[in-house]
């Protein structure tokens, strides 16, 4: 898999994002600007050329157009095409890397209290990739929603969502270069994160990940030791811990936000994982603070 390496820090910064449906006959205009343009086609097909290299972006496929390079549509869309785009900037040029050559586990220097600058680090994004819509569209929808009503109050969350997108893409690169079972385990984890506040639905999970639920469960258990429902409960409890420590929401409201609207069951679930009910946890945390 071809990747783009971007030096960090700083992280890339979002400029704009959008979602739309292109009707047959539409074509991307010719453009060259110092901005990265990430295009994800949920359904349909888009025909793009970058520096004389043609690409066909089909169902569930992504293309990352590089800053400073010409790109244009070389062919009209032929079917209704639903797509997302995210524009972002980064101060340093990208370097082309093969995913198989990236030393993912190489240790980096540990910072000390005498350091005045961070160590050299990198992030890696796929140049092209095929990614199930369920793994990307919830986050892309959030990015588009926040960007459409940007304010001082939500600008930080918007940029954080962009960083989550980059981290998710890098994790998918890592997963696709390893075994299918590990890749599916990562996909399952991401699905559960995206649907944390919704009732657990094994059939919907099957539909989104395109594998039988039993196989998804085996893969997730192989790498995490937990079933999908157990992993979801862990995510819900961890989210509840954060809300208990950082908000004044009631126990019932927190349960609803993390996908457990039955207050009694939420309290039992929390106690099972942490050994104390939510109210006691909040009191202990506040006393420590």
């Amino acid at each position: 898999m071809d990747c783009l390496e971007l030096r960090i820090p700083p992280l890339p910064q979002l400029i704009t994002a959008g979602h739309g449906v292109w009707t047959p006959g539409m074509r991307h205009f010719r453009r060259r600007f110092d901005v990265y343009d990430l295009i994800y086609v949920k359904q349909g097909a888009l025909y793009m050329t970058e520096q004389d290299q043609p690409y066909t972006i089909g169902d569930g496929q992504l293309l990352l157009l590089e800053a400073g390079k010409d790109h244009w549509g070389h062919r009209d869309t032929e079917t209704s095409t639903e797509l997302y785009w995210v524009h972002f900037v980064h101060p340093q040029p990208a370097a082309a890397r093969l995913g198989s050559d990236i030393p993912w586990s190489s240790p980096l220097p540990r910072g000390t209290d005498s350091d005045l600058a961070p160590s050299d680090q990198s992030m890696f994004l796929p140049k092209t990739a095929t990614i199930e819509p369920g793994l990307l569209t919830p986050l892309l929808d959030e990015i588009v929603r926040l960007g459409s009503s940007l304010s001082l109050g939500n600008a930080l969350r918007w940029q954080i969502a962009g960083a989550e997108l980059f981290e998710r893409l890098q994790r998918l690169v890592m997963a696709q270069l390893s075994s299918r079972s590990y890749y599916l385990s990562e996909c399952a984890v991401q699905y559960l994160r995206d649907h944390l506040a919704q009732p657990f639905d094994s059939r919907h999970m099957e539909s989104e990940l395109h594998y039988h639920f039993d196989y998804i469960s085996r893969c997730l258990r192989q790498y995490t030791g937990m079933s999908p429902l157990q992993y979801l409960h862990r995510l819900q409890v961890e989210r509840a811990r954060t809300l208990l420590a950082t908000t004044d929401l009631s126990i019932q409201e927190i349960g609803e936000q993390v996908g457990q609207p039955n207050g009694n069951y939420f309290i039992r679930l929390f106690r099972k994982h942490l050994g104390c009910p939510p109210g006691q946890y909040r009191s202990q945390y506040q006393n420590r603070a």
Side-chain angles (χ1 to χ4, degrees):
M1 175 183 288
D2 292 333
C3 297
L4 296 180
E5 178 181 6
L6 296 174
R7 302 295 295 274
I8 55 174
L11 290 171
Q13 287 188 291
L14 299 186
I15 296 177
T16 188
H19 167 260
V21 176
W22 286 27
T23 56
M26 295 181 68
R27 181 188 299 204
H28 197 287
F29 61 93
R30 191 180 190 103
R31 191 172 194 182
R32 179 175 188 166
F33 60 162
D34 292 327
V35 171
Y36 292 87
D37 187 356
L38 187 152
I39 300 173
Y40 180 71
V41 171
K42 182 177 181 181
Q43 187 174 27
L46 190 67
Y47 305 96
M48 295 291 299
T49 291
E50 181 186 52
Q51 297 288 90
D52 298 324
Q53 173 63 52
Y55 297 92
T56 298
I57 322 170
D59 293 347
Q61 293 186 328
L62 171 148
L63 172 65
L64 179 53
L65 298 167
E66 298 174 53
K69 292 187 176 182
D70 289 328
H71 63 262
W72 65 92
H74 62 261
R75 179 174 161 185
D76 292 347
T77 55
E78 298 174 349
T79 61
S80 179
T81 299
E82 182 180 1
L83 56 86
Y84 294 83
W85 63 91
V86 179
H87 291 180
F88 62 91
V89 292
H90 191 269
Q92 299 184 28
R97 293 288 299 270
L98 283 175
S100 56
D101 292 339
I102 300 171
W104 298 105
S105 299
S106 294
L108 296 174
R110 181 179 178 181
T112 70
D113 57 8
S114 62
D115 291 332
L116 300 178
S119 62
D120 290 336
Q121 302 163 37
S122 294
M123 60 181 286
F124 301 91
L125 302 177
K127 178 67 179 177
T128 61
T130 300
I131 304 171
E132 296 297 337
L135 300 178
L136 277 191
T137 54
L139 181 54
L140 289 170
D141 285 335
E142 181 183 11
I143 290 172
V144 171
R145 177 183 60 81
L146 290 169
S148 66
S149 57
L150 201 60
S151 67
L152 287 176
N154 66 14
L156 178 58
R157 175 58 204 154
W158 189 52
Q159 295 295 339
I160 290 173
E164 290 177 358
L165 173 64
F166 304 138
E167 192 271 341
R168 185 170 302 185
L169 292 175
Q170 177 171 285
R171 285 179 57 198
L172 289 169
V173 170
M174 296 170 65
Q176 290 185 11
L177 291 168
S178 59
S179 67
R180 182 177 68 173
S181 62
Y182 178 76
Y183 171 65
L184 185 55
S185 173
E186 288 292 296
C187 291
V189 167
Q190 202 56 66
Y191 171 89
L192 294 169
R193 290 184 185 277
D194 288 336
H195 297 83
L196 177 145
Q198 300 169 16
F200 181 71
D201 186 337
S202 60
R203 291 186 178 180
H204 185 264
M205 193 175 192
E206 281 187 335
S207 174
E208 289 291 304
L209 301 186
H210 304 293
Y211 284 94
H212 289 301
F213 181 72
D214 286 345
Y215 182 61
I216 296 171
S217 297
R218 289 200 303 272
C219 293
L220 184 65
R221 190 179 292 277
Q222 178 182 352
Y223 293 100
T224 69
M226 288 176 275
S227 69
L229 186 57
Q230 288 171 332
Y231 197 93
L232 176 64
H233 286 166
R234 193 193 78 168
L235 292 175
Q236 290 172 334
V237 169
E238 288 302 312
R239 177 60 178 157
R241 287 178 63 183
T242 299
L243 293 174
L244 287 165
T246 60
T247 75
D248 294 324
L249 293 173
S250 69
I251 304 301
Q252 178 64 36
E253 289 172 325
I254 289 175
E256 292 171 356
Q257 287 206 15
V258 303
Q260 293 294 345
N262 184 316
N264 290 332
Y265 182 78
F266 169 60
I267 291 171
R268 291 199 301 272
L269 181 67
F270 194 94
R271 185 197 296 271
K272 177 182 176 181
H273 281 258
L274 295 182
C276 66
Q280 183 179 340
Y281 176 86
R282 171 176 272 170
S283 298
Q284 292 173 345
Y285 183 89
Q286 291 172 344
N287 289 335
R288 290 197 301 268

